[in-house]
Amino acid sequence: MTATTPSPTFTTQFDTSNQEFLAAGVFRPRSIADIADDLRLLRDGMELVKGVFYVNLKRVTHMNSTAFHALTRVLVDASRSRPELQIVVVVSSVVTWATQMFRHLSELSPNITMEIYDSAFYPGQTFVENQSFIPILRTQTKMTWRHEREILPRHGLRSGMAIADICCGIGDFAMLVRKEFNPARIVALDHSVASLEYARSVADKFCVRDIEYTFGDASQMLFESDQFDFVTCRHSLQIFDRPELLLRELYRICKPGGRVYITNEKNSHCLGEPRADSIQWTYTEVAKLFRHFDMDVEIGPKGSRLLRDAGFEDVKIESFMVTNLDGDPQEFADIIQAWEDVYAGEMAVKRGDSPEFIKRFRQGFADHIFSALHPRGYAGWPIWATSGRKPL
Ligand SMILES: C[S@@+](CC[C@H](N)C(=O)[O-])C[C@H]1O[C@@H](n2cnc3c(N)ncnc32)[C@H](O)[C@@H]1O
C-alpha cells in the first residue's frame, strides 16, 4: 500500500512493503498545522510495522526548523513508546545539511540511527572514484570523441538543445559537446567530488562559465522531470549494480520526444595482435573481476534491450572500436597501463587473487600494450553507443 499527501513543493508517501516513509521536495511549513497530514502519515505508518522502520529523506532538498522539530518529535516519541522498533533515518550526502541535522538523533534515542546511503552505495565506488583515474579518463574521452562526434548526430544531438551529461566524470565530454554542438543549456552531474573539482578547475582555466557542474546522485537526481532534450550517460551504467535504477532517472529527466544516449563496453572483446590469446584471457578475466564487485562491464550490446525495457522507443545501437591506430599509439598504451594498475594492482588484490593469477592477469595487459606499440600491431577497445526516444 502506498499513501500520498501532495502539496505544491513537498510530498510524503508511506510504502507498506518496504516499511518506509518517503518524503521529497522543499519541507518548509509556516506552522505544524501545514504538515499535520504528513506527520499523521508518519505516525500511522510506524504503528503498522514491526522490526525496522525507514524514514527516507534522500530527496528532501530543504527543511526548516519547524519541520525538523515536528519530525524529530514524532520519531523520538515513537522510539520511546516502542523501544523494540528500530528507526532508520536515511539521508543523502548530496544534501549536506541533512547529515548534520539528523546526526544527533541517536543521542536523543538509541533506537534511532541515521544512514548516509550514498557514502558507499555502489560496490565499485572506491575503484571508480579512484583519483589516479583522472588523467586517464581524459585520454579515454579524447580517443572516444574522435568517433562520438560523428556518432552523436546520428542519435539526434543537434545544436541549441538542453543537454545533461549524467555521471560526467571529469567533465571533459561536456566540454567537447559544448564546443561542437553549442547547447542552449548543459548540465554535467557526478558523485565524485575530486572529479568535479577537476572539471571546474579546467572550466575555470578555459574561462568556460556555462557548464553547470553539479554534485549529485544519478539514481536519485534532484532535477525536475522532463527537463532535457538530450541526456547522455557514458561508461557508467556498467558500474552500477542496478543499472535499471539509473535508467529510470535518465528517462525521468528527459523531455518527452527527447533522447537518452548511453555508451558501454564489452571488456571481454578487447583485442590485440600479436599475442591475441593472452590478451583475450586477461579481458575475459576483467569481466569476471568486475562481476565479483557487482559491475557488468559486458553491458555494451545489452544497451538495446535495457533501453527498450526502460520504456524508450526508436532505439538505435551501433558499435565502434577505439584502436591504437586512431592517434598516438602511446595514448592507447597509457590507457591500458592505467587499467592494469587499478584492475590488477587493486581490484584483484582486494578479491584475494593469488600472486600466480595476478602475474598472468598482468601479462595480458602487457601484451595489449605490446600489440598497441608494435609497428605492425593492432589493439582495440570496443564500445557500444545506444540511444532511445522517450515517448511523447
Ligand atoms: C567510469 S566513470 C565514467 C565517467 C565519464 N562519463 C567518462 O566517460 O569518462 C563513471 C562515473 O560515474 C560516477 N558515478 C558513479 N555512481 C554515481 C552516482 N550514483 N551518481 C553520480 N555519479 C556517479 C563516478 O564518480 C564516475 O565519474
Side-chain angles (χ1 to χ4, degrees):
M1 180 194 79
T2 304
T4 311
T5 49
S7 72
T9 54
F10 185 67
T11 57
T12 50
Q13 292 183 15
F14 176 61
D15 177 350
T16 317
S17 43
N18 290 321
Q19 304 207 151
E20 185 174 42
F21 172 83
L22 295 108
V26 178
F27 201 12
R28 280 182 178 149
R30 277 157 303 163
S31 70
I32 292 184
D34 288 351
I35 52 169
D37 288 347
D38 304 295
L39 297 174
R40 189 170 316 113
L41 191 67
L42 175 62
R43 241 183 253 116
D44 292 351
M46 277 192 286
E47 273 172 25
L48 285 176
V49 305
K50 289 187 180 145
V52 183
F53 181 78
Y54 292 96
V55 181
N56 179 338
L57 304 179
K58 288 186 284 196
R59 284 194 191 235
V60 176
T61 55
H62 301 83
M63 184 181 282
N64 67 8
S65 61
T66 306
F68 176 72
H69 290 302
L71 192 73
T72 48
R73 169 118 319 267
V74 172
L75 296 180
V76 170
D77 286 352
S79 74
R80 289 187 181 148
S81 64
R82 294 194 49 205
E84 80 294 352
L85 190 67
Q86 282 299 317
I87 301 172
V88 179
V89 178
V90 188
V91 296
S92 163
S93 72
V94 170
V95 185
T96 41
W97 57 263
T99 45
Q100 283 152 20
M101 255 172 149
F102 287 99
R103 164 168 308 140
H104 302 293
L105 270 185
S106 54
E107 289 161 18
L108 297 175
S109 173
N111 48 332
I112 305 181
T113 50
M114 183 192 77
E115 266 178 20
I116 307 175
Y117 95 106
D118 53 356
S119 58
F121 65 123
Y122 69 98
Q125 190 161 2
T126 48
F127 310 120
V128 172
E129 295 188 9
N130 186 324
Q131 292 197 32
S132 67
F133 257 138
I134 288 181
I136 218 61
L137 284 178
R138 221 181 148 91
T139 312
Q140 283 189 185
T141 308
K142 183 172 160 193
M143 297 194 82
T144 55
W145 182 250
R146 293 190 183 108
H147 301 263
E148 284 184 275
R149 64 187 301 205
E150 281 165 21
I151 288 173
L152 283 159
R154 292 204 282 277
H155 289 257
L157 183 55
R158 304 276 177 271
S159 66
M161 285 182 156
I163 301 172
D165 184 32
I166 306 304
C167 300
C168 66
I170 56 165
D172 46 355
F173 179 76
M175 199 76 126
L176 291 163
V177 165
R178 172 190 171 274
K179 205 163 173 192
E180 184 93 9
F181 292 94
N182 195 23
R185 179 185 179 198
I186 182 158
V187 169
L189 175 142
D190 202 277
H191 191 270
S192 157
V193 174
S195 296
L196 283 175
E197 268 171 13
Y198 183 90
R200 290 194 180 110
S201 73
V202 173
D204 208 34
K205 222 181 280 169
F206 298 162
C207 300
V208 172
R209 314 243 180 270
D210 49 359
I211 301 179
E212 300 167 43
Y213 287 113
T214 309
F215 176 59
D217 169 13
S219 61
Q220 297 269 331
M221 287 187 274
L222 301 176
F223 299 130
E224 308 249 315
S225 303
D226 305 334
Q227 290 287 302
F228 300 99
D229 302 295
F230 202 78
V231 180
T232 58
C233 183
R234 300 171 54 266
H235 303 277
S236 298
L237 283 168
Q238 57 188 39
I239 58 156
F240 276 77
D241 51 339
R242 295 181 61 198
E244 67 283 0
L245 290 185
L246 179 48
L247 269 178
R248 201 187 299 162
E249 277 294 90
L250 302 179
Y251 183 96
R252 185 182 67 76
I253 65 169
C254 184
K255 285 182 190 168
R259 292 187 77 87
V260 168
Y261 167 92
I262 57 174
T263 62
N264 289 288
E265 299 159 50
K266 183 171 173 79
N267 258 267
S268 65
H269 281 208
C270 283
L271 50 83
E273 280 291 347
R275 305 189 180 174
D277 291 347
S278 157
I279 296 167
Q280 198 184 2
W281 182 86
T282 284
Y283 283 98
T284 304
E285 291 301 324
V286 169
K288 291 186 203 160
L289 180 61
F290 273 79
R291 225 328 109 238
H292 176 81
F293 293 104
D294 285 336
M295 296 182 268
D296 182 4
V297 287
E298 299 285 276
I299 262 186
K302 302 175 195 166
S304 175
R305 174 176 56 75
L306 280 170
L307 287 186
R308 281 172 216 278
D309 288 353
F312 291 94
E313 57 188 25
D314 186 31
V315 172
K316 297 180 179 167
I317 181 162
E318 62 186 291
S319 59
F320 61 98
M321 182 83 83
V322 172
T323 82
N324 59 328
L325 305 178
D326 290 347
D328 180 354
Q330 186 59 50
E331 288 185 341
F332 192 97
D334 290 345
I335 293 175
I336 309 308
Q337 185 59 60
W339 290 352
E340 180 189 339
D341 292 344
V342 177
Y343 304 168
E346 284 183 41
M347 293 174 73
V349 172
K350 182 128 189 218
R351 186 171 60 169
D353 291 335
S354 67
E356 298 74 41
F357 174 89
I358 293 177
K359 188 167 174 231
R360 185 172 175 198
F361 192 43
R362 282 191 183 277
Q363 187 58 48
F365 293 113
D367 289 337
H368 207 195
I369 291 173
F370 182 81
S371 68
L373 298 179
H374 193 287
R376 284 174 294 143
Y378 180 82
W381 168 36
I383 295 169
W384 276 257
T386 316
S387 71
R389 185 175 60 216
K390 177 169 170 177
L392 283 169

